[in-house]
């Protein structure tokens, strides 16, 4: 970096790196604002995560553990909100370099115990739980 010199980023979280740069710049710039964006997340830690987004109590990105299932991730996220369209949830998985989407009926899994939807997760999987929609008759 022109004002601070080289900065080692490897092994640091974006927030840590931004703080380090902010401290270095504060000697030359009054109240520096620093944002660090990861454009090529190649770390093993980043790739070996599973995520759940949308209408869950606490969206999560957690370290993958072998044997982890859809139900495990839903429970880690605190369960579904009242606005979750549980029958339209999806599992997004990278297969041969492109994302494939698989339907999940989380209502069947959670309320009825239908284990057909309790897939074993793989690193990089993302579960999306959409919001109910009035025009679909879901409210």
């Amino acid at each position: 970096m022109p004002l601070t010199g080289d900065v080692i980023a490897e092994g640091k979280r974006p927030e840590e790196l931004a703080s380090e740069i902010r401290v270095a710049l504060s000697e030359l710039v009054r109240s520096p604002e620093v944002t660090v964006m990861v454009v090529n997340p190649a770390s093993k830690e980043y790739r070996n995560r599973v995520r759940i987004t949308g209408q869950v109590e606490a969206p999560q990105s957690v370290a993958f553990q072998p044997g982890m299932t859809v139900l495990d991730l839903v429970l880690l996220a605190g369960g579904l909100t009242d606005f979750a369209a549980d029958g339209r949830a999806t599992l997004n998985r990278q297969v041969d370099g492109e994302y494939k989407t698989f339907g999940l009926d989380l209502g069947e899994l959670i309320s009825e115990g239908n284990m057909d939807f309790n897939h074993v997760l793989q690193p990089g999987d993302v579960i999306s739980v959409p919001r109910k929609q009035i025009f679909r008759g879901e409210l």
Side-chain angles (χ1 to χ4, degrees):
M1 296 183 58
L3 295 176
T4 62
D6 290 345
V7 178
I8 307 286
E10 184 176 352
K12 295 179 185 168
R13 301 184 70 217
E15 300 82 15
E16 295 169 319
L17 185 58
S19 177
E20 183 178 318
I21 295 169
R22 190 176 304 109
V23 168
L25 285 174
S26 66
E27 296 176 12
L28 303 166
V29 177
R30 188 177 341 151
S31 302
E33 292 185 26
V34 177
T35 301
V36 173
M37 294 176 58
V38 178
V39 294
N40 187 10
S43 74
K44 181 179 177 185
E45 178 182 320
Y46 185 83
R47 286 190 318 263
N48 286 338
R49 299 187 76 75
V50 289
R51 296 159 181 88
I52 185 165
T53 64
Q55 295 301 308
V56 292
E57 292 296 333
Q60 301 278 317
S61 174
V62 298
F64 171 77
Q65 297 294 321
M68 183 179 274
T69 65
V70 168
L71 183 57
D72 293 328
L73 195 53
V74 170
L75 294 174
L76 280 171
L80 305 175
T81 69
D82 292 337
F83 301 104
D86 51 15
R88 290 190 296 114
T90 57
L91 169 63
N92 302 286
R93 174 175 289 165
Q94 198 167 25
V95 178
D96 297 328
E98 62 182 67
Y99 274 96
K100 302 283 185 186
T101 300
F102 305 93
L104 296 174
D105 189 335
L106 297 179
E108 279 286 313
L109 174 61
I110 295 168
S111 300
E112 304 300 322
N114 184 344
M115 292 295 127
D116 291 342
F117 298 102
N118 196 26
H119 305 292
V120 175
L121 298 176
Q122 296 178 6
D125 282 356
V126 178
I127 295 174
S128 299
V129 184
R131 185 179 187 92
K132 289 179 181 175
Q133 296 178 344
I134 293 174
F135 76 88
R136 289 180 178 266
E138 295 174 330
L139 288 178

